[in-house]
Coordinates of all heavy atoms in Angstrom, one line a residue:
M206 N 22.2 128.2 23.7 CA 22.4 128.1 22.3 C 22.9 126.7 21.9 O 23.7 126.2 22.5 CB 23.5 129.1 21.9 CG 23.8 129.1 20.4 SD 25.0 130.4 20.2 CE 24.6 130.8 18.6
A207 N 22.1 126.1 21.0 CA 22.4 124.7 20.5 C 23.5 124.7 19.6 O 23.6 125.6 18.7 CB 21.2 124.1 20.0
I208 N 24.4 123.7 19.7 CA 25.5 123.5 18.8 C 25.0 122.6 17.6 O 24.5 121.5 17.9 CB 26.7 122.9 19.5 CG1 27.2 123.9 20.6 CG2 27.9 122.6 18.5 CD1 28.3 123.4 21.4
K209 N 25.2 123.1 16.4 CA 24.9 122.2 15.3 C 25.9 121.4 14.9 O 27.1 121.7 14.7 CB 24.5 123.2 14.1 CG 23.8 122.5 13.1 CD 23.3 123.5 12.0 CE 22.6 122.8 10.8 NZ 22.1 123.7 9.8
T210 N 25.6 120.0 14.8 CA 26.7 119.1 14.3 C 26.3 118.5 13.0 O 25.1 118.4 12.7 CB 26.8 117.9 15.3 OG1 25.6 117.3 15.5 CG2 27.2 118.4 16.7
E211 N 27.3 118.2 12.2 CA 27.1 117.6 10.9 C 27.3 116.1 11.0 O 28.3 115.7 11.7 CB 28.0 118.2 9.8 CG 27.6 119.6 9.5 CD 28.4 120.1 8.3 OE1 28.6 119.4 7.3 OE2 28.9 121.3 8.4
K212 N 26.6 115.3 10.2 CA 26.8 113.9 10.1 C 27.4 113.6 8.7 O 26.8 114.1 7.7 CB 25.5 113.2 10.3 CG 25.6 111.8 10.4 CD 24.2 111.1 10.7 CE 24.2 109.7 10.8 NZ 23.0 109.1 11.1
I213 N 28.5 112.9 8.7 CA 29.2 112.6 7.5 C 29.1 111.1 7.3 O 29.4 110.3 8.1 CB 30.6 113.1 7.4 CG1 30.7 114.6 7.6 CG2 31.3 112.6 6.2 CD1 32.1 115.1 7.9
L214 N 28.6 110.8 6.0 CA 28.6 109.3 5.7 C 29.8 109.0 4.9 O 30.1 109.6 3.8 CB 27.3 109.0 4.8 CG 27.2 107.6 4.3 CD1 27.1 106.6 5.4 CD2 26.1 107.5 3.3
F215 N 30.5 108.0 5.3 CA 31.7 107.4 4.6 C 31.1 106.1 3.9 O 30.6 105.3 4.6 CB 32.8 107.1 5.4 CG 33.5 108.3 6.0 CD1 33.2 108.8 7.3 CD2 34.5 109.0 5.2 CE1 33.8 109.9 7.7 CE2 35.2 110.1 5.7 CZ 34.8 110.6 7.0
K216 N 31.4 106.1 2.6 CA 30.9 104.8 1.9 C 32.0 104.3 1.1 O 32.6 105.1 0.3 CB 29.7 105.2 1.1 CG 29.1 103.9 0.5 CD 27.6 104.1 0.1 CE 27.1 102.9 -0.4 NZ 25.6 102.7 -0.3
W217 N 32.4 103.0 1.2 CA 33.4 102.4 0.4 C 32.8 101.9 -0.8 O 32.0 101.0 -0.9 CB 33.9 101.2 1.3 CG 35.1 100.5 0.7 CD1 35.6 100.5 -0.5 CD2 35.9 99.6 1.4 NE1 36.7 99.7 -0.6 CE2 36.9 99.1 0.6 CE3 35.9 99.1 2.8 CZ2 38.0 98.2 1.0 CZ3 36.9 98.3 3.2 CH2 37.9 97.8 2.3
A218 N 33.3 102.6 -2.0 CA 32.8 102.2 -3.3 C 33.2 100.8 -3.6 O 34.3 100.3 -3.3 CB 33.4 103.2 -4.3
D219 N 32.2 99.9 -4.1 CA 32.4 98.6 -4.5 C 32.9 97.7 -3.3 O 33.7 96.9 -3.4 CB 33.5 98.5 -5.6 CG 33.2 97.4 -6.5 OD1 32.1 96.8 -6.5 OD2 34.2 97.0 -7.3
Y220 N 32.4 98.0 -2.1 CA 32.7 97.3 -0.9 C 32.6 95.9 -1.0 O 33.5 95.1 -0.6 CB 31.9 97.9 0.3 CG 32.1 97.1 1.6 CD1 33.2 97.4 2.4 CD2 31.2 96.2 2.0 CE1 33.4 96.7 3.5 CE2 31.4 95.4 3.2 CZ 32.5 95.8 4.0 OH 32.8 95.1 5.1
Q221 N 31.5 95.3 -1.5 CA 31.3 93.9 -1.6 C 32.3 93.2 -2.4 O 32.8 92.1 -2.1 CB 29.8 93.6 -1.9 CG 28.8 94.0 -0.9 CD 27.4 93.9 -1.3 OE1 27.1 94.0 -2.5 NE2 26.5 93.6 -0.3
N222 N 32.6 93.8 -3.6 CA 33.5 93.2 -4.5 C 34.9 93.2 -3.8 O 35.7 92.2 -3.9 CB 33.6 93.9 -5.8 CG 32.4 93.5 -6.6 OD1 31.7 92.4 -6.4 ND2 32.0 94.4 -7.5
N223 N 35.2 94.2 -3.1 CA 36.6 94.3 -2.3 C 36.7 93.2 -1.3 O 37.7 92.6 -1.1 CB 36.7 95.7 -1.7 CG 37.1 96.7 -2.7 OD1 38.0 96.5 -3.6 ND2 36.5 97.8 -2.7
I224 N 35.5 93.0 -0.6 CA 35.6 92.0 0.5 C 35.8 90.6 -0.1 O 36.6 89.8 0.3 CB 34.3 92.0 1.3 CG1 34.2 93.3 2.2 CG2 34.1 90.8 2.2 CD1 35.4 93.4 3.2
V225 N 35.0 90.2 -1.2 CA 35.2 89.0 -1.8 C 36.6 88.7 -2.3 O 37.2 87.7 -2.1 CB 34.2 88.9 -3.0 CG1 34.4 87.7 -3.9 CG2 32.7 88.8 -2.5
S226 N 37.2 89.8 -2.9 CA 38.6 89.7 -3.4 C 39.5 89.5 -2.3 O 40.5 88.7 -2.3 CB 38.9 91.1 -4.1 OG 40.2 91.3 -4.2
C227 N 39.3 90.2 -1.1 CA 40.2 90.0 0.1 C 40.1 88.6 0.6 O 41.1 88.0 1.0 CB 39.8 91.0 1.2 SG 40.3 92.7 0.8
L228 N 38.9 88.1 0.7 CA 38.7 86.7 1.1 C 39.5 85.7 0.3 O 40.1 84.8 0.8 CB 37.3 86.3 1.2 CG 36.4 87.0 2.3 CD1 34.9 86.6 2.1 CD2 36.9 86.7 3.6
E229 N 39.4 85.9 -1.0 CA 40.1 85.0 -1.9 C 41.6 85.1 -1.7 O 42.3 84.1 -1.7 CB 39.8 85.4 -3.4 CG 38.4 85.0 -3.9 CD 38.1 85.6 -5.2 OE1 38.9 86.0 -5.9 OE2 36.8 85.4 -5.6
E230 N 42.1 86.3 -1.5 CA 43.5 86.5 -1.2 C 43.9 85.9 0.1 O 45.0 85.2 0.2 CB 43.9 88.0 -1.2 CG 43.9 88.6 -2.6 CD 44.1 90.1 -2.5 OE1 44.9 90.5 -1.6 OE2 43.6 90.8 -3.4
L231 N 43.1 86.0 1.1 CA 43.4 85.4 2.4 C 43.5 83.9 2.4 O 44.4 83.3 3.0 CB 42.3 85.8 3.4 CG 42.4 87.2 4.2 CD1 41.2 87.4 5.0 CD2 43.7 87.2 4.9
Q232 N 42.6 83.3 1.6 CA 42.7 81.9 1.5 C 43.9 81.4 0.8 O 44.5 80.3 1.3 CB 41.5 81.3 0.8 CG 41.5 79.8 0.9 CD 40.5 79.1 -0.1 OE1 40.1 79.7 -1.0 NE2 40.1 77.9 0.3
K233 N 44.4 82.1 -0.1 CA 45.7 81.7 -0.8 C 46.9 81.9 0.0 O 47.9 81.2 -0.1 CB 45.8 82.5 -2.1 CG 44.7 82.1 -3.2 CD 44.8 83.0 -4.4 CE 43.6 82.7 -5.2 NZ 43.4 83.7 -6.3
D234 N 46.9 82.9 0.9 CA 48.0 83.3 1.7 C 47.8 82.9 3.1 O 46.9 83.4 3.8 CB 48.3 84.8 1.6 CG 49.5 85.3 2.3 OD1 50.3 84.4 2.8 OD2 49.7 86.5 2.3
S235 N 48.5 82.0 3.7 CA 48.3 81.5 5.1 C 49.0 82.4 6.2 O 49.1 81.9 7.3 CB 48.7 80.1 5.1 OG 50.2 80.0 5.0
D236 N 49.5 83.6 5.8 CA 50.2 84.4 6.9 C 49.3 84.6 8.1 O 49.8 84.6 9.2 CB 50.6 85.7 6.2 CG 51.8 85.6 5.4 OD1 52.5 84.6 5.5 OD2 52.1 86.5 4.6
F237 N 48.0 84.9 7.9 CA 47.2 85.2 9.1 C 46.3 84.0 9.5 O 45.4 84.1 10.3 CB 46.3 86.4 8.7 CG 47.1 87.7 8.5 CD1 47.2 88.1 7.2 CD2 47.7 88.3 9.5 CE1 48.0 89.3 6.9 CE2 48.5 89.4 9.3 CZ 48.6 89.9 8.0
S238 N 46.6 82.9 9.0 CA 45.8 81.7 9.4 C 45.9 81.4 10.9 O 47.1 81.5 11.4 CB 46.2 80.5 8.5 OG 46.0 80.6 7.2
D239 N 44.9 81.0 11.5 CA 45.0 80.7 12.9 C 44.2 79.4 13.3 O 43.9 79.2 14.5 CB 44.5 81.9 13.8 CG 43.1 82.4 13.4 OD1 42.4 81.8 12.5 OD2 42.7 83.4 14.0
V240 N 43.8 78.6 12.3 CA 43.1 77.3 12.5 C 43.6 76.4 11.5 O 43.9 76.8 10.3 CB 41.6 77.5 12.3 CG1 40.9 76.1 12.5 CG2 41.0 78.5 13.3
T241 N 43.8 75.1 11.9 CA 44.1 74.0 11.0 C 43.0 73.0 10.9 O 42.7 72.5 11.9 CB 45.5 73.4 11.3 OG1 46.5 74.3 11.4 CG2 45.8 72.3 10.3
L242 N 42.5 72.7 9.7 CA 41.6 71.8 9.6 C 42.3 70.5 9.0 O 43.0 70.6 8.0 CB 40.4 72.2 8.6 CG 39.7 73.5 9.0 CD1 38.7 73.9 7.8 CD2 39.0 73.3 10.3
V243 N 41.9 69.3 9.6 CA 42.6 68.0 9.2 C 41.5 67.1 8.8 O 40.5 67.0 9.5 CB 43.5 67.5 10.3 CG1 44.2 66.2 9.8 CG2 44.4 68.5 10.8
C244 N 41.7 66.3 7.7 CA 40.7 65.3 7.4 C 41.3 63.9 7.5 O 42.5 63.8 8.0 CB 40.2 65.5 5.9 SG 41.5 65.2 4.7
E245 N 40.6 62.9 7.2 CA 40.9 61.5 7.5 C 42.2 61.1 6.7 O 43.0 60.3 7.3 CB 39.8 60.5 7.1 CG 38.7 60.7 8.1 CD 37.7 59.5 8.0 OE1 37.9 58.6 7.1 OE2 36.9 59.4 8.8
E246 N 42.5 61.7 5.6 CA 43.7 61.3 4.8 C 45.0 62.2 5.3 O 45.9 62.2 4.7 CB 43.5 61.6 3.4 CG 42.3 60.7 2.8 CD 41.6 61.3 1.6 OE1 41.7 62.5 1.4 OE2 40.9 60.6 0.9
A247 N 44.9 62.7 6.5 CA 45.9 63.6 7.1 C 46.2 64.8 6.2 O 47.2 65.5 6.4 CB 47.2 62.8 7.4
H248 N 45.3 65.2 5.4 CA 45.4 66.4 4.6 C 45.0 67.6 5.5 O 44.1 67.5 6.3 CB 44.4 66.4 3.5 CG 44.5 67.5 2.5 ND1 45.5 67.7 1.6 CD2 43.8 68.6 2.4 CE1 45.4 68.8 0.9 NE2 44.3 69.4 1.4
Q249 N 45.8 68.6 5.4 CA 45.7 69.8 6.3 C 45.4 71.1 5.5 O 46.0 71.2 4.5 CB 46.8 70.0 7.2 CG 47.1 68.9 8.1 CD 48.2 69.2 9.1 OE1 48.7 70.3 9.2 NE2 48.7 68.2 9.9
I250 N 44.4 71.8 6.0 CA 44.2 73.1 5.3 C 44.2 74.2 6.5 O 43.6 74.1 7.5 CB 42.8 73.1 4.7 CG1 42.8 72.2 3.5 CG2 42.4 74.5 4.3 CD1 41.4 72.1 2.8
E251 N 44.9 75.3 6.2 CA 45.0 76.3 7.0 C 43.8 77.3 6.8 O 43.5 77.5 5.6 CB 46.3 77.2 6.9 CG 47.6 76.4 7.2 CD 47.8 76.1 8.6 OE1 47.5 77.0 9.5 OE2 48.1 75.0 9.0
A252 N 43.2 77.8 7.8 CA 42.0 78.7 7.6 C 42.1 79.8 8.7 O 43.0 79.9 9.5 CB 40.8 77.9 7.7
H253 N 41.1 80.6 8.6 CA 40.9 81.8 9.6 C 39.7 81.6 10.4 O 38.6 81.5 9.8 CB 40.9 83.1 8.8 CG 42.0 83.3 7.8 ND1 42.0 82.7 6.5 CD2 43.2 83.9 8.0 CE1 43.2 83.0 5.9 NE2 43.9 83.7 6.8
R254 N 39.9 81.6 11.7 CA 38.8 81.4 12.6 C 37.6 82.4 12.4 O 36.4 82.1 12.5 CB 39.2 81.4 14.0 CG 39.5 82.7 14.6 CD 39.8 82.7 16.2 NE 41.0 81.9 16.3 CZ 41.2 81.0 17.3 NH1 40.3 80.8 18.2 NH2 42.4 80.3 17.4
I255 N 38.0 83.7 12.1 CA 36.9 84.6 11.8 C 36.1 84.3 10.6 O 34.8 84.5 10.6 CB 37.5 86.1 11.7 CG1 36.5 87.1 11.7 CG2 38.3 86.2 10.4 CD1 36.0 87.4 13.2
I256 N 36.7 83.8 9.5 CA 36.0 83.4 8.4 C 35.1 82.1 8.7 O 33.9 82.1 8.4 CB 36.9 83.1 7.2 CG1 37.8 84.3 6.9 CG2 36.1 82.7 6.0 CD1 37.1 85.6 6.5
L257 N 35.7 81.1 9.3 CA 35.0 79.9 9.6 C 33.8 80.2 10.6 O 32.7 79.8 10.3 CB 35.9 79.0 10.3 CG 37.0 78.4 9.5 CD1 37.9 77.4 10.4 CD2 36.7 77.8 8.2
S258 N 34.0 81.0 11.5 CA 32.9 81.3 12.5 C 31.8 82.2 11.9 O 30.7 82.1 12.3 CB 33.4 81.8 13.8 OG 34.1 83.1 13.6
A259 N 32.2 83.1 11.0 CA 31.2 84.0 10.4 C 30.3 83.2 9.4 O 29.2 83.5 9.3 CB 31.9 85.1 9.6
C260 N 30.8 82.1 8.8 CA 30.1 81.4 7.8 C 29.4 80.1 8.3 O 28.6 79.6 7.6 CB 31.1 81.0 6.7 SG 31.7 82.4 5.8
S261 N 29.8 79.7 9.5 CA 29.3 78.4 10.0 C 29.0 78.4 11.5 O 29.9 78.5 12.2 CB 30.3 77.2 9.6 OG 30.0 76.1 10.2
P262 N 27.7 78.1 11.9 CA 27.4 77.9 13.3 C 28.2 76.7 14.0 O 28.5 76.8 15.1 CB 26.0 77.6 13.4 CG 25.4 77.9 12.0 CD 26.6 78.0 11.1
F263 N 28.5 75.7 13.1 CA 29.3 74.6 13.6 C 30.6 75.0 14.0 O 31.1 74.7 15.1 CB 29.3 73.5 12.5 CG 30.4 72.4 12.7 CD1 30.0 71.4 13.7 CD2 31.6 72.4 12.1 CE1 31.0 70.4 13.9 CE2 32.5 71.4 12.4 CZ 32.2 70.4 13.3
F264 N 31.4 75.7 13.1 CA 32.7 76.2 13.5 C 32.7 77.2 14.6 O 33.5 77.3 15.5 CB 33.4 76.8 12.2 CG 33.9 75.7 11.3 CD1 33.4 75.6 10.0 CD2 34.8 74.7 11.8 CE1 33.9 74.6 9.2 CE2 35.3 73.7 10.9 CZ 34.8 73.7 9.6
R265 N 31.7 78.1 14.5 CA 31.6 79.2 15.5 C 31.4 78.5 16.9 O 32.1 78.9 17.9 CB 30.4 80.0 15.3 CG 30.2 81.2 16.3 CD 29.0 82.2 15.9 NE 29.0 82.5 14.6 CZ 27.9 82.3 13.8 NH1 26.8 81.7 14.3 NH2 27.9 82.7 12.6
S266 N 30.6 77.5 17.0 CA 30.4 76.8 18.3 C 31.8 76.2 18.8 O 32.1 76.3 20.0 CB 29.4 75.8 18.2 OG 29.2 75.0 19.4
I267 N 32.4 75.5 18.0 CA 33.7 74.8 18.3 C 34.8 75.9 18.7 O 35.5 75.7 19.7 CB 34.2 73.9 17.2 CG1 33.4 72.7 17.0 CG2 35.7 73.5 17.4 CD1 33.7 71.9 15.8
L268 N 34.9 76.9 17.9 CA 35.9 77.9 18.2 C 35.7 78.8 19.3 O 36.6 79.3 20.0 CB 36.1 78.7 16.9 CG 36.7 78.0 15.7 CD1 36.6 78.8 14.4 CD2 38.2 77.5 16.0
K269 N 34.4 79.0 19.7 CA 34.0 79.7 20.9 C 34.5 78.9 22.2 O 35.0 79.5 23.1 CB 32.5 79.9 20.9 CG 32.1 81.3 21.1 CD 30.5 81.3 21.3 CE 30.0 82.5 20.7 NZ 28.6 82.6 20.8
K270 N 34.4 77.7 22.1 CA 34.8 76.8 23.3 C 36.2 76.6 23.4 O 36.7 76.3 24.5 CB 34.0 75.5 23.2 CG 32.5 75.5 23.3 CD 31.9 74.2 23.1 CE 30.4 74.3 22.9 NZ 29.7 73.1 22.5
N271 N 36.9 76.6 22.2 CA 38.4 76.3 22.2 C 39.1 77.6 22.1 O 39.2 78.3 21.1 CB 38.7 75.5 21.0 CG 40.1 75.0 21.0 OD1 41.0 75.6 21.4 ND2 40.3 73.8 20.5
K272 N 39.8 78.0 23.2 CA 40.6 79.3 23.3 C 42.1 79.1 22.9 O 42.8 80.1 23.0 CB 40.5 79.8 24.7 CG 39.1 80.0 25.2 CD 38.3 81.1 24.3 CE 37.0 81.3 24.9 NZ 36.2 82.1 24.0
H273 N 42.4 78.0 22.3 CA 43.8 77.8 21.9 C 44.1 78.8 20.7 O 43.3 79.1 19.9 CB 44.0 76.4 21.4 CG 45.4 76.1 21.2 ND1 46.1 76.4 20.0 CD2 46.4 75.4 22.0 CE1 47.4 75.9 20.2 NE2 47.5 75.3 21.3
P274 N 45.4 79.4 20.7 CA 45.6 80.4 19.7 C 45.7 79.9 18.3 O 45.5 80.6 17.3 CB 47.1 80.9 20.1 CG 47.6 80.0 21.1 CD 46.4 79.2 21.7
H275 N 45.9 78.6 18.1 CA 45.8 77.9 16.8 C 45.3 76.6 16.9 O 46.1 75.6 16.9 CB 47.3 77.9 16.2 CG 47.2 77.6 14.6 ND1 47.6 78.5 13.8 CD2 46.8 76.5 14.0 CE1 47.5 78.0 12.5 NE2 47.1 76.8 12.7
P276 N 44.0 76.4 17.1 CA 43.4 75.1 17.2 C 43.5 74.2 15.9 O 43.6 74.7 14.8 CB 41.9 75.4 17.5 CG 41.7 76.8 17.0 CD 43.0 77.5 17.0
M277 N 43.6 73.0 16.2 CA 43.5 72.0 15.1 C 42.2 71.2 15.2 O 41.9 70.7 16.2 CB 44.7 71.0 15.1 CG 44.8 70.0 14.0 SD 46.2 69.0 14.1 CE 47.4 70.1 13.5
I278 N 41.4 71.2 14.1 CA 40.1 70.6 14.1 C 40.1 69.5 13.2 O 40.4 69.6 12.0 CB 39.0 71.6 13.7 CG1 39.0 72.8 14.6 CG2 37.6 70.9 13.7 CD1 38.0 73.9 14.2
Y279 N 39.9 68.3 13.8 CA 39.8 67.0 12.9 C 38.4 66.8 12.4 O 37.4 66.8 13.1 CB 40.2 65.8 13.8 CG 40.1 64.5 13.0 CD1 41.0 64.3 12.0 CD2 39.2 63.5 13.4 CE1 40.9 63.1 11.3 CE2 39.2 62.3 12.7 CZ 40.1 62.1 11.6 OH 40.0 60.9 11.0
M280 N 38.3 66.8 11.1 CA 37.0 66.7 10.4 C 36.9 65.2 10.0 O 37.1 64.8 8.9 CB 37.0 67.6 9.1 CG 37.3 69.0 9.4 SD 36.2 69.8 10.4 CE 34.7 69.8 9.4
R281 N 36.4 64.5 11.0 CA 36.2 63.0 10.8 C 35.2 62.7 9.7 O 34.1 63.4 9.6 CB 35.7 62.4 12.2 CG 35.5 60.9 12.1 CD 35.1 60.3 13.4 NE 34.2 61.2 14.1 CZ 33.6 61.0 15.2 NH1 33.8 59.8 15.8 NH2 32.9 61.8 15.8
G282 N 35.5 61.7 8.9 CA 34.6 61.3 7.8 C 34.8 62.1 6.5 O 34.1 61.8 5.5
L283 N 35.5 63.2 6.5 CA 35.7 63.9 5.3 C 37.0 63.5 4.5 O 38.1 63.4 5.1 CB 35.8 65.4 5.6 CG 34.6 66.3 5.8 CD1 34.9 67.7 6.1 CD2 33.6 66.1 4.6
K284 N 36.9 63.4 3.2 CA 38.0 63.2 2.4 C 38.6 64.5 2.0 O 37.9 65.5 2.1 CB 37.5 62.4 1.1 CG 36.8 61.1 1.3 CD 37.8 60.0 1.3 CE 37.1 58.7 1.4 NZ 37.5 57.8 2.5
A285 N 39.8 64.5 1.6 CA 40.6 65.7 1.3 C 39.8 66.6 0.3 O 39.7 67.8 0.5 CB 42.0 65.4 0.7
R286 N 39.3 66.0 -0.8 CA 38.6 66.8 -1.7 C 37.3 67.4 -1.2 O 37.0 68.5 -1.6 CB 38.3 65.9 -3.0 CG 37.2 64.9 -2.8 CD 36.8 64.2 -4.1 NE 35.7 63.3 -3.9 CZ 35.7 62.0 -3.6 NH1 36.9 61.4 -3.6 NH2 34.7 61.3 -3.4
D287 N 36.6 66.8 -0.3 CA 35.5 67.3 0.3 C 35.8 68.4 1.3 O 35.1 69.4 1.4 CB 34.7 66.2 1.1 CG 34.2 65.1 0.1 OD1 33.9 65.4 -1.1 OD2 34.0 63.9 0.5
L288 N 36.9 68.2 2.0 CA 37.4 69.3 2.9 C 37.7 70.6 2.2 O 37.3 71.7 2.4 CB 38.6 68.8 3.8 CG 39.0 69.9 4.8 CD1 38.0 70.3 5.8 CD2 40.3 69.3 5.5
V289 N 38.4 70.4 1.0 CA 38.8 71.5 0.1 C 37.5 72.2 -0.4 O 37.4 73.4 -0.4 CB 39.7 71.1 -1.0 CG1 39.8 72.2 -2.1 CG2 41.0 70.6 -0.5
A290 N 36.5 71.4 -0.7 CA 35.2 71.9 -1.2 C 34.5 72.7 -0.1 O 33.9 73.9 -0.4 CB 34.3 70.9 -1.7
V291 N 34.5 72.3 1.1 CA 33.9 73.0 2.2 C 34.5 74.3 2.4 O 33.9 75.4 2.5 CB 33.9 72.1 3.5 CG1 33.6 73.0 4.7 CG2 33.0 70.9 3.4
V292 N 35.9 74.3 2.5 CA 36.7 75.6 2.7 C 36.4 76.5 1.5 O 36.2 77.7 1.7 CB 38.1 75.3 3.0 CG1 39.0 76.5 3.0 CG2 38.3 74.5 4.3
D293 N 36.5 76.0 0.3 CA 36.3 76.8 -0.9 C 34.9 77.5 -0.8 O 34.7 78.7 -1.0 CB 36.3 76.1 -2.1 CG 37.7 75.7 -2.6 OD1 38.7 76.3 -2.0 OD2 37.9 74.9 -3.5
F294 N 33.9 76.7 -0.3 CA 32.5 77.3 -0.2 C 32.5 78.4 0.8 O 31.9 79.4 0.6 CB 31.5 76.2 0.2 CG 30.1 76.7 0.3 CD1 29.4 76.9 -0.9 CD2 29.6 76.8 1.5 CE1 28.1 77.3 -0.7 CE2 28.2 77.3 1.7 CZ 27.5 77.6 0.5
L295 N 33.2 78.2 1.9 CA 33.2 79.3 2.9 C 33.9 80.5 2.5 O 33.5 81.7 2.9 CB 33.8 78.7 4.3 CG 33.1 77.6 4.9 CD1 33.8 77.0 6.2 CD2 31.7 77.9 5.2
Y296 N 34.9 80.4 1.8 CA 35.7 81.6 1.3 C 35.2 82.2 0.0 O 35.2 83.4 -0.1 CB 37.2 81.2 1.1 CG 38.0 81.2 2.3 CD1 38.1 80.1 3.2 CD2 38.7 82.4 2.7 CE1 38.8 80.1 4.3 CE2 39.5 82.3 3.9 CZ 39.5 81.2 4.7 OH 40.2 81.2 5.9
Y297 N 34.6 81.4 -0.9 CA 34.2 81.9 -2.2 C 32.7 82.0 -2.4 O 32.2 82.5 -3.3 CB 34.8 81.1 -3.4 CG 36.3 81.0 -3.3 CD1 37.0 79.8 -3.2 CD2 37.1 82.2 -3.6 CE1 38.3 79.8 -3.2 CE2 38.4 82.2 -3.7 CZ 39.1 80.9 -3.5 OH 40.4 80.9 -3.4
G298 N 32.0 81.3 -1.5 CA 30.5 81.2 -1.6 C 30.1 80.2 -2.7 O 28.9 80.1 -3.0
E299 N 31.0 79.4 -3.1 CA 30.7 78.3 -4.1 C 31.8 77.3 -4.1 O 32.9 77.6 -3.6 CB 30.5 78.9 -5.5 CG 31.7 79.5 -6.1 CD 31.5 80.2 -7.4 OE1 30.5 80.8 -7.7 OE2 32.5 80.0 -8.3
A300 N 31.4 76.1 -4.5 CA 32.4 75.0 -4.5 C 32.0 74.0 -5.6 O 30.8 73.7 -5.9 CB 32.5 74.4 -3.2
N301 N 33.0 73.3 -6.2 CA 32.7 72.2 -7.1 C 32.8 71.0 -6.4 O 33.8 70.6 -5.7 CB 33.8 72.2 -8.2 CG 33.6 73.4 -9.1 OD1 32.5 73.7 -9.6 ND2 34.6 74.1 -9.4
I302 N 31.8 70.1 -6.5 CA 31.8 68.8 -5.8 C 31.4 67.7 -6.8 O 30.4 67.9 -7.6 CB 30.6 68.8 -4.7 CG1 31.0 69.9 -3.7 CG2 30.5 67.4 -4.1 CD1 30.0 70.0 -2.5
Y303 N 32.2 66.7 -6.9 CA 32.0 65.6 -7.8 C 31.3 64.5 -7.1 O 31.6 64.2 -6.0 CB 33.3 65.3 -8.5 CG 34.0 66.4 -9.2 CD1 35.0 67.2 -8.6 CD2 33.5 66.8 -10.5 CE1 35.5 68.3 -9.3 CE2 34.1 67.9 -11.2 CZ 35.1 68.6 -10.6 OH 35.7 69.7 -11.3

């Protein structure tokens, strides 16, 4: 005798908007930050390795090789405003560049 099983689909209403909202909150709050990005002007930005690696093959490659619990990545050649724009782009999907 075959046992009949039911399949239940769980769906998070408005999932994409919730994720975007969570990413914005994460960027503003550095409690769970585990990477520090530094530019030429010694400006530092705290970020999350999971966000950086999900959005950028460059960061994914660096972070895969570096097993330090809180790596510091020096972004040679970037000015503070450009580093902020890069991080904004990764977290929000858009950035203002002048």
Side-chain angles (χ1 to χ4, degrees):
M206 177 176 211
I208 298 175
K209 191 174 183 180
T210 59
E211 287 187 46
K212 186 176 183 179
I213 299 172
L214 171 66
F215 289 95
K216 189 160 183 154
W217 188 341
D219 210 19
Y220 175 78
Q221 291 173 332
N222 287 334
N223 283 313
I224 291 297
V225 169
S226 160
C227 286
L228 290 177
E229 291 175 8
E230 289 176 31
L231 277 174
Q232 188 192 21
K233 292 174 188 170
D234 185 4
S235 63
D236 282 344
F237 297 107
S238 298
D239 54 2
V240 177
T241 301
L242 302 176
V243 183
C244 67
E245 290 196 353
E246 299 152 340
H248 182 78
Q249 297 185 9
I250 295 179
E251 297 289 321
H253 304 86
R254 77 176 64 223
I255 192 76
I256 304 301
L257 298 179
S258 61
C260 298
S261 165
F263 169 76
F264 285 119
R265 185 178 311 125
S266 173
I267 290 172
L268 293 167
K269 234 183 213 185
K270 294 174 190 170
N271 188 325
K272 301 298 182 188
H273 192 278
H275 193 115
M277 182 175 282
I278 301 173
Y279 178 64
M280 305 297 294
R281 182 176 36 173
L283 278 182
K284 302 269 187 236
R286 70 173 188 264
D287 297 331
L288 181 57
V289 169
V291 167
V292 172
D293 283 350
F294 182 74
L295 296 177
Y296 278 84
Y297 301 114
E299 59 185 42
N301 291 312
I302 298 175
Y303 300 97

